[in-house]
Structures are given as structure tokens and as C-alpha cells.
């Protein structure tokens, strides 16, 4: 349908629906989330057509704040196909040295304390405390959940680490709005035909 420029499959899907089939049914030039195998493959080959919105927003945030990425030690906590893995690829393409950690990583704090750039996307309220963070690090908190008081919080204990880091993204009003902005930017580019090959 040429009247439709961009399509997203809102995840997560109900369990009876096949996520892989539905996501990959979207035309690669209308995949404004960048989740199809085609677009994910291009990203991992270093030639992205459309990048996933949250990692793209994070990279935009770093660029906007003039954060030097090349040569920096970056640690990504979380290996999801939506955030952690594509973000690690974008960071590698920006010449960072990247470590990806996950639920099976042993001695997580030892690894995260080496990070100049720490990215956390695990969906566990206030999991990362000052013991996990290097002095002067830049921390990007991708997580958003509700704590025991039903208050929105990120994966990083913001109040505990704020005095130890040089920069930290807030939750809410940090990465989330940039994700939406990148989705709209991708949709506009799709409308202009920039994703057609």
C-alpha cells in the first residue's frame, strides 16, 4: 500500500502470535523500527539502512552532548535484540571497545566499573548502584519500570550515582523521548523514499 510509509509491530506481542513472522512481514523500506532480519543484518554488517530507534536515539544523545566514543571502553548491560545488541553494533561502528553483559555474566560490577560509557537496559528498577559505576563515567539508563512504591524508575539508582558520574540520562524523560523522535525521523525518511534501494 503506497499510502503507508512506515509500519511498526508493537512489542511484546501476545504469546499466540509469532513475533519473527510478523516483524519480517513488514517491507524493509517501511520498517521504521529497524527490526526486520534484513535491516538487522545490514546493521550487523556495518551498513545500516534503518537503525532501531532506541539505540539510534542513544547515539544521537551522545553526539548532541559531544561525547567522544572512539577509543572509549563501553559496557552494555543487556543483550536484547531491541536495544543491547544493536546498540553494541553502533558503538563498535563508532570505534568504542565494547563489552556486552547479561544475566549470566559473572562479577558484573568488576566489568561495569571499567566502563567510560555505561549503558543499562535490563528492566530491573535501580539495579545499578554506585558500586557498579566508575568515577566520572557517562551512564545511559534505558530501563523504565515501576518500583515498590509504583514510582517510575530506571535500571540505575539515579540518586545514588549522580555524584559519582560525569553525565547520566534521567528516567523518565531521557532515552524514551529520543526513541519516539527517532521513530518519527525514520518515518519521515521512509516517506521521502530514503530507505528504498
Amino acid at each position: 500500500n503506497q499510502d503507508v510509509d512506515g509500519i511498526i509491530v508493537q512489542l511484546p506481542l501476545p504469546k499466540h502470535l509469532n513475533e519473527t513472522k510478523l516483524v519480517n512481514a513488514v517491507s524493509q523500506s517501511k520498517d521504521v523500527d529497524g527490526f526486520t532480519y534484513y535491516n538487522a543484518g545490514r546493521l550487523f554488517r556495518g551498513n545500516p539502512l534503518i537503525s532501531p530507534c532506541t539505540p539510534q536515539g542513544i547515539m544521537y544523545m551522545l553526539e548532541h552532548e559531544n561525547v567522544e566514543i572512539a577509543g572509549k571502553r563501553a559496557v552494555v548491560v543487556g543483550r536484547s535484540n531491541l536495544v543491547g545488541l544493536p546498540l553494541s553494533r553502533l558503538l563498535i561502528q563508532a570505534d568504542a571497545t565494547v563489552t556486552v553483559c547479561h544475566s549470566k555474566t559473572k562479577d558484573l560490577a568488576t566489568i561495569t566499573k571499567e566502563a567510560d560509557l555505561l549503558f543499562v537496559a535490563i528492566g530491573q528498577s535501580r539495579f545499578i548502584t554506585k558500586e557498579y559505576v566508575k568515577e566520572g563515567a557517562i551512564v545511559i539508563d534505558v530501563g523504565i519500570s515501576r518500583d515498590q512504591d509504583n514510582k517510575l524508575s530506571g535500571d540505575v539508582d539515579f540518586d545514588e550515582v549522580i555524584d559519582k558520574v560525569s553525565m547520566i540520562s534521567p528516567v523518565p524523560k531521557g532515552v524514551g523521548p529520543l526513541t519516539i523522535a527517532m521513530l518519527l525521523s525514520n518515518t519521515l525518511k521512509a516517506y521521502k523514499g530514503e530507505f528504498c534501494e
Side-chain angles (χ1 to χ4, degrees), residues 116 134-139 161-162 164-168:
D116 304 306
K134 175 182 178 179
E135 189 79 37
I138 294 171
V139 178
V161 305
I162 186 70
K164 192 172 183 181
V165 301
S166 61
M167 292 183 191
I168 184 170

Side-chain angles (χ1 to χ4, degrees), residues 14-53:
K15 293 194 186 305
H16 70 283
L17 297 174
N18 186 312
E19 178 181 313
T20 300
K21 284 183 180 178
L22 284 172
V23 166
N24 286 292
V26 176
S27 168
Q28 63 209 30
S29 63
K30 296 180 182 189
D31 171 29
V32 291
D33 256 339
F35 290 161
T36 63
Y37 280 0
Y38 178 83
N39 284 318
R42 286 192 59 136
L43 173 67
F44 275 78
R45 293 294 300 209
N47 185 24
L49 184 64
I50 304 174
S51 295
C53 299

Side-chain angles (χ1 to χ4, degrees), residues 178-189:
L178 280 171
T179 297
I180 296 165
M182 295 302 112
L183 179 62
L184 294 174
S185 174
N186 284 350
T187 303
L188 179 60
K189 289 175 183 175

Side-chain angles (χ1 to χ4, degrees), residues 125-126 145-153 159:
S125 181
R126 297 189 184 101
S145 54
R146 295 204 177 265
D147 64 16
Q148 62 273 14
D149 299 322
N150 204 34
K151 183 179 173 187
L152 284 176
S153 66
D159 293 334

Side-chain angles (χ1 to χ4, degrees), residues 54 58 74-80 83-84 87 91 99 101-102 108 112 115 117-129 132-133 138-144 153-157 161 168-171 175:
T54 299
I58 292 166
V75 174
V76 178
V77 183
R79 59 179 169 179
S80 74
V83 180
L87 176 59
L91 290 165
T99 302
C101 300
H102 45 78
L108 179 64
T112 58
L117 307 169
L118 178 61
F119 306 87
V120 189
I122 56 174
Q124 294 188 39
S125 181
R126 297 189 184 101
F127 182 86
I128 298 293
T129 57
Y132 289 83
V133 179
I138 294 171
V139 178
I140 306 297
D141 189 348
V142 186
I144 188 161
S153 66
D155 292 341
V156 179
D157 192 327
V161 305
I168 184 170
S169 64
V171 175
V175 173

Side-chain angles (χ1 to χ4, degrees), residues 83-99:
V83 180
L85 292 180
L87 176 59
S88 69
R89 290 304 301 167
L90 291 174
L91 290 165
I92 289 168
Q93 290 165 21
D95 296 321
T97 301
V98 180
T99 302

